């Protein structure tokens, strides 16, 4: 089976807690969000991961459609990979696209049924982020991704058709950012027929 390639998988840390950081300055004001992205300004908790994931994808799709790019389709398998990546970052205490075992976003997606109807292979990318309380909403995370050239390039890529989002209301301890906050992962993919 051809597994395709991983495109633009980024591992840039977004320390949204620092007032002096570029991301912190970019997020000083509450980003405007149309009402149709329900949950865009909601802080993640243990009970609202689905709402936060949907709001994150909605915000990304608003950005894409405003630039005349097609909206991304929610994909259950990519959502599972994203959720698994967040859970693994928390349980294994790291923050990176590549797991301590060496597994990449491509290898994680290749182990799912996402590749079944892709005789031409798949391409994937991953954006990850972490934020402390108060700046950990979907609107702030997506704004920070858009302020980062590497993350923005993934979001605005015309290559991807599918996406999945994972989020947890916790941070890996290795970040030494205190308690609270949230960790996000968004998987992007395309199946080649």
């Amino acid at each position: 089976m051809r597994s395709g390639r991983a495109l633009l998988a980024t591992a840039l840390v977004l320390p949204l807690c620092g007032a002096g950081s570029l991301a912190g300055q970019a997020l000083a004001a509450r980003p405007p969000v149309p009402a149709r992205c329900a949950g865009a300004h909601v802080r993640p908790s243990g009970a609202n991961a689905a709402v936060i994931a949907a709001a994150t994808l909605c915000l990304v799709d608003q950005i894409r459609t405003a630039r005349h790019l097609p909206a991304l389709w929610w994909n259950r398998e990519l959502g599972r990979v994203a959720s698994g990546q967040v859970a693994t970052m928390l349980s294994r205490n790291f923050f990176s696209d590549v797991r301590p075992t060496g597994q990449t976003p491509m290898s994680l997606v290749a182990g799912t049924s996402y590749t079944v109807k892709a005789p031409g292979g798949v391409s994937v990318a991953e954006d990850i982020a972490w934020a402390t309380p108060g700046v950990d909403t979907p609107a702030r995370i997506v704004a920070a991704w858009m302020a980062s050239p590497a993350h923005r390039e993934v979001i605005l890529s015309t290559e991807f058709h599918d996406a999945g989002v994972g989020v947890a209301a916790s941070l890996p301890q290795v970040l030494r950012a205190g308690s609270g906050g949230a960790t996000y992962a968004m998987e992007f993919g395309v199946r080649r027929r």
Side-chain angles (χ1 to χ4, degrees), residues 46-118:
N48 66 1
V51 170
I52 299 301
T56 304
L57 179 59
C58 177
L59 292 165
V60 166
D61 280 343
Q62 282 184 352
I63 290 166
R64 289 176 59 86
T65 58
R67 288 167 173 79
H68 308 288
L69 299 171
L72 299 168
W73 290 91
W74 176 264
N75 180 274
R76 182 179 9 193
E77 292 300 321
L78 294 178
R80 287 181 184 152
V81 169
S83 295
Q85 182 70 334
V86 168
T88 302
M89 283 192 278
L90 295 172
S91 67
R92 300 284 308 268
N93 196 24
F94 72 98
F95 182 79
S96 175
D97 290 308
V98 179
R99 292 183 178 184
T101 59
Q103 291 175 293
T104 64
M106 177 56 79
S107 66
L108 296 173
V109 172
T112 71
S113 64
Y114 185 75
T115 61
V116 170
K117 294 181 181 179

